[in-house]
Amino acid sequence: MSACFAVAEWFPHLANQPSPVASPRKTLTRFDDYREMLSDAVRMEAYREAIAAVVRPGDVVVDLGAGLGILSFLAVRAGAEKVYAIEQGGQIELARALAAKNGLASRIEFIEDNSKRVTLPAPANVLLSETLGSFGVDENTLDFTLDARERLLEPGGRMIPEALELFLAPVELPEDHSRVAFWNDVEGFDFSPAIDELMSRMSLSRVAPGALLSEAQSFYEIDLRTHREVTLERKLLFQMQRPGVLHGLAGWFEVALSADVSFATSPSSPSTHWQQAFFPFRQPVSVTPGDFLEVVFAVGPKAEHSDDTRVSYDYRCTQRANEGKAAQPPVPSPVARNAPCPCGSGKKFKRCCGRA
Ligand SMILES: C[S@@+](CC[C@H](N)C(=O)[O-])C[C@H]1O[C@@H](n2cnc3c(N)ncnc32)[C@H](O)[C@@H]1O
């Protein structure tokens, strides 16, 4: 465990090496994954409500990443005349059978392919998708969604979800970090190169609210109806609010499925199958209140035309006392933007008077 650096200095292991790279979870085709998603009450309730509010009788809907077809079925229930259910995974025959079993086969056309290769006879009225990873965009969500928006949706068409916000926070997670530390010594051998491999995969963690060492920062706000970049990069500055041991960053998202339906996967939100993302630092760092942590974080496609997502992060930690005037003030917390709007609308400030 190393203490925070008194003088601003990049951690040496990151200064000389490429940033860690994380791949997304593998395509979700396993039966248990679908059962977990279909029994996630937060997810299902939100999608059910948003689809009922957004899809109108007679609509043509694209369901990007249809899985077993549940969102297509809900779209038909909401009145959709035709749903194109696009799924690249292996369960499409079962999805077809489920549609037939429920008398929906005539209104749903299943297409077994990656959405980027699909063309439609005419643009749809609604683009519906749930391809969210634990850090929101880590299943190449942006690349697929923006491509489908441009090619498969009518101009100005409705989208579910319509906006996404990603958050990061420094965390103390000793048990999760022990998976990293384990590789330093295996039977007396130096297995530390395995750490690079481990850090190249985003891990999942159930992060308790008490694990946070400072307030979360908003990493990115994305309006999916207008957003264009598939790679997101930002520098964030955190100020520690309690003493502890910094093991890395936790990440999560808040998604607006429609104007009135949203949910979050934060440590203090009702639990979901997404849990939270964990981006471990190589070494734990002792921190005290007032210390600053500066992070440059990026997420985007691994390569052009790649279906894999790349996550990279560099970080440096500085002690507040010795930084004096050189230290930047902490970035204003975005959390207040999640508070109820003072105008009394009942909406969150950021979705009401605080809209960017
Ligand atoms: C999280 S699951 C959701 C399944 C289903 N829509 C639901 O809500 O239960 C995402 C699904 O999208 C599929 N998928 C992801 N990206 C895709 C793409 N670009 N084209 C086709 N299928 C995709 C995956 O194979 C996976 O089955």
Side-chain angles (χ1 to χ4, degrees):
M1 182 188 313
S2 56
C4 250
F5 286 20
V7 179
E9 188 176 280
W10 293 103
F11 288 124
H13 70 276
L14 284 169
N16 301 321
Q17 291 180 21
S19 299
V21 173
S23 299
R25 284 184 291 168
K26 285 208 158 46
T27 303
L28 291 162
T29 51
R30 286 187 331 165
F31 223 74
D32 278 350
D33 292 327
Y34 286 125
R35 186 178 44 74
E36 216 185 342
M37 292 186 290
L38 294 172
S39 57
D40 181 332
V42 172
R43 183 188 98 107
M44 291 311 304
E45 193 178 317
Y47 268 93
R48 189 189 321 125
E49 267 185 43
I51 290 169
V54 172
V55 175
R56 298 174 195 149
D59 272 343
V60 175
V61 175
V62 167
D63 180 3
L64 193 174
L68 296 184
I70 186 66
L71 303 186
S72 299
F73 301 175
L74 290 172
V76 171
R77 188 185 277 170
E81 187 178 297
K82 169 103 186 176
V83 181
Y84 293 101
I86 305 171
E87 173 55 54
Q88 65 189 359
Q91 300 289 355
I92 202 148
E93 285 311 322
L94 176 57
R96 271 198 190 99
L98 294 171
K101 182 86 181 166
N102 288 279
L104 306 171
S106 63
R107 297 228 237 147
I108 303 177
E109 182 173 333
F110 288 93
I111 302 172
E112 187 169 17
D113 207 342
N114 184 288
S115 59
K116 289 184 89 170
R117 285 190 291 265
V118 171
T119 54
L120 297 180
N125 309 111
V126 181
L127 173 58
L128 169 61
S129 67
E130 196 284 80
T131 55
L132 300 163
S134 294
F135 191 50
V137 297
D138 50 285
E139 294 186 3
N140 229 15
T141 313
L142 283 181
D143 194 22
F144 297 143
T145 306
L146 303 193
D147 168 74
R149 181 191 72 196
E150 294 305 305
R151 295 188 312 103
L152 307 179
L153 182 67
E154 66 182 4
R158 285 155 275 152
M159 292 180 73
I160 306 173
E162 58 177 42
L164 192 58
E165 185 165 8
L166 312 179
F167 295 89
L168 288 167
V171 276
E172 180 166 18
L173 290 176
E175 280 180 27
D176 296 84
H177 197 273
S178 64
R179 292 201 297 269
V180 176
F182 167 82
W183 296 101
N184 282 314
D185 180 342
V186 178
E187 297 285 335
F189 297 106
D190 181 355
F191 267 49
S192 62
I195 293 177
D196 296 330
E197 180 62 26
L198 183 71
M199 290 175 79
S200 79
R201 298 154 200 265
M202 189 196 71
S203 19
L204 292 191
S205 174
R206 220 169 263 289
V207 179
L212 270 59
L213 289 160
S214 89
E215 275 181 351
Q217 302 279 347
S218 174
F219 168 59
Y220 238 95
E221 270 191 88
I222 305 156
D223 186 334
L224 293 164
R225 297 162 298 185
T226 53
H227 185 84
R228 299 219 159 265
E229 299 82 36
V230 290
T231 297
L232 310 177
E233 181 170 345
R234 282 272 159 85
K235 186 192 280 190
L236 298 174
L237 183 68
F238 300 94
Q239 190 167 25
M240 301 304 137
Q241 290 169 322
R242 68 168 179 86
V245 180
L246 172 60
H247 290 110
L249 297 166
W252 61 87
F253 64 86
E254 179 174 334
V255 64
L257 297 184
S258 66
D260 297 316
V261 182
S262 62
F263 67 90
T265 61
S266 81
S268 53
S269 303
S271 101
T272 70
H273 79 284
W274 282 285
Q275 305 179 34
Q276 286 80 36
F278 177 47
F279 304 103
F281 291 174
R282 185 174 293 261
Q283 302 286 349
V285 182
S286 288
V287 292
T288 55
D291 286 353
F292 288 117
L293 172 70
E294 192 177 317
V295 178
V296 179
F297 196 97
V299 57
K302 204 168 185 173
E304 213 184 340
H305 307 306
S306 164
D307 282 358
D308 284 344
T309 303
R310 177 184 195 274
V311 177
S312 64
Y313 46 103
D314 283 350
Y315 51 95
R316 65 177 173 178
C317 192
T318 54
Q319 279 181 336
R320 189 189 192 191
N322 295 341
E323 275 293 292
K325 291 177 192 138
Q328 298 172 44
V331 176
S333 163
V335 175
R337 305 190 63 236
N338 283 327
C341 191
C343 77
S345 65
K347 291 186 179 176
K348 288 184 179 177
F349 175 63
K350 68 181 182 190
R351 305 223 179 281
C352 190
C353 302
R355 236 178 227 279

